[in-house]
Amino acid sequence: MQLLDGVKVSEEILKEIQSEVAARVQNNKKVPHLAAILVGEDPASQTYVASKVKTCDFLGFKSTLSRLAPDTTEAELLALIETYNADSDIDGILVQLPLPKHISEDKVINTIHPEKDVDGFHPNSIGKMVLGQDTFIPATPNGIMMMLQHYGIDTVGKHCVVIGRSNIVGTPMSLLMSRNTNPGNCTVTLTHSKTKNLKELCLEADIIVAAIGRPKYVTADMVKEGAIIVDVGINRIEDATKKSGFRLVGDVDFDTVKEKASYITPVPGGVGKMTICALMQNTLKACKD
Ligand code: NAD
């Protein structure tokens, strides 16, 4: 079994981006500027946004973080996005999801200017991705593709089972893996909560991408010998031995599944690290275009 080490791969890619930014500074070119918006006080969201801002600092990007109260109205949030749309210094806009229930995620995503849509969630970006046109690809699936590419994993003709059909992970992942690209060129099965024979499908999979949001859901008896396992899940489970009282586990039962897998991502230190990396690459792209 080989670990797909998101820490190591993301460090390498981030260093390349850092050098590119340094070269831009030397040549008096603009440095990328990411504007992040966090609504409310969800602890996981706070951690994600903080780590994105920290990565911006490391790379030499500018960043602006707006922390909005949980009772911020939809109109107030849309107005702030419009301000950022009009600000020529801001290259990328990121609104941390999920949003409080009284705010429409669709309206928020649709309001971000497609040229600043570094999360790749705008219908323009998704449509272009489906057509194989140059665009911003959602960060988590893109980060996974970067990881597969980095390890030189041959995916051509393989059967990839994606578990979960969210707009931000499962659905774009299934599209990317089925495209005529490398990595890609898989035969893809997209499964979800209504899938009846998940275990049988998983047992036929050469590659499993688990994006469910249920701790250790994919167990060793669901996995074929030699399968490639990509674990997107980030779940908090109670752990009295930790100061925080919890620890993070994936959607895959890592300890048992690793015995059968040829490659597997750990949680933490796998897909999450690659997600930030892909977001930063999109922000650099937004600055250059
Ligand atoms: P989501 O809740 O939007 O979607 C979950 C999907 O899982 C749904 O499509 C649902 O149909 C499917 N599902 C639920 N129960 C199922 C079952 N029993 N069998 C098969 N499918 C089932 O979640 P999401 O936003 O796609 O996130 C999934 C997980 O990935 C979460 O743990 C989330 O925290 C994590 N995540 C990680 C990153 C990262 O950077 N590593 C990024 C985004 C999300």
Side-chain angles (χ1 to χ4, degrees), residues 97-131:
L97 302 179
L99 287 165
K101 292 277 171 283
H102 64 278
I103 299 179
S104 156
E105 284 188 1
D106 282 352
K107 273 194 199 165
V108 167
I109 289 167
N110 290 355
T111 301
I112 295 171
H113 194 288
E115 285 174 13
K116 301 190 179 192
D117 174 40
V118 288
D119 257 337
F121 298 159
H122 191 283
N124 258 46
S125 309
I126 300 286
K128 284 185 170 180
M129 180 187 69
V130 172
L131 296 170

Side-chain angles (χ1 to χ4, degrees), residues 140 163-166 192-193 211-214 217 232-235 272 275:
T140 300
I163 318 177
R165 59 180 161 191
S166 71
H192 45 77
S193 55
I212 316 161
R214 290 179 176 228
Y217 191 79
V232 183
I234 302 178
N235 309 289
T275 296

